[in-house]
Amino acid sequence: MILAVEEETFHVHRQIMSIHSPVFKAMLKSEDMATEIPLPGKKADEFLDFLKILYLKEKEGIECK
């Protein structure tokens, strides 16, 4: 699936997003879920940091706010 954040698009796996996020798990239960999902109000650079944690378990240089 594709997540649209600001002017960026991120190609992600539905299962990984569902495992790590109850919000995505609830969103993805729908059979007729769109292939591209906009995430308004999010920042692309912060979302990329989130994905790095999920996919790469990379934490260095990431600050919690």
Side-chain angles (χ1 to χ4, degrees), residues 6-8 11-12 17 26-28 32 38-39 42-43 46 49 59-61:
E6 293 182 322
E7 300 298 318
E8 302 287 331
H11 295 256
V12 298
M17 299 307 290
M27 285 174 52
L28 297 172
D32 59 343
L39 297 177
K42 304 296 179 202
K43 295 187 182 214
E46 293 175 356
D49 288 342
K59 296 179 185 177
E60 189 174 320

Side-chain angles (χ1 to χ4, degrees), residues 21-43:
S21 169
V23 173
F24 281 106
K25 185 175 184 174
M27 285 174 52
L28 297 172
K29 281 185 179 179
S30 174
E31 291 288 327
D32 59 343
M33 191 64 176
T35 304
E36 184 168 326
I37 302 168
L39 297 177
K42 304 296 179 202
K43 295 187 182 214

Side-chain angles (χ1 to χ4, degrees), residues 44-64:
D45 60 337
E46 293 175 356
F47 193 73
L48 180 58
D49 288 342
F50 170 69
L51 292 178
K52 285 179 181 179
I53 292 170
L54 295 186
Y55 281 86
L56 305 173
K57 307 228 187 259
E58 195 175 292
K59 296 179 185 177
E60 189 174 320
I62 298 174
E63 298 177 20
C64 295

Side-chain angles (χ1 to χ4, degrees), residues 9-26:
T9 55
F10 299 93
H11 295 256
V12 298
H13 296 91
R14 292 174 184 261
Q15 188 173 13
I16 289 176
M17 299 307 290
S18 294
I19 289 169
H20 294 288
S21 169
V23 173
F24 281 106
K25 185 175 184 174

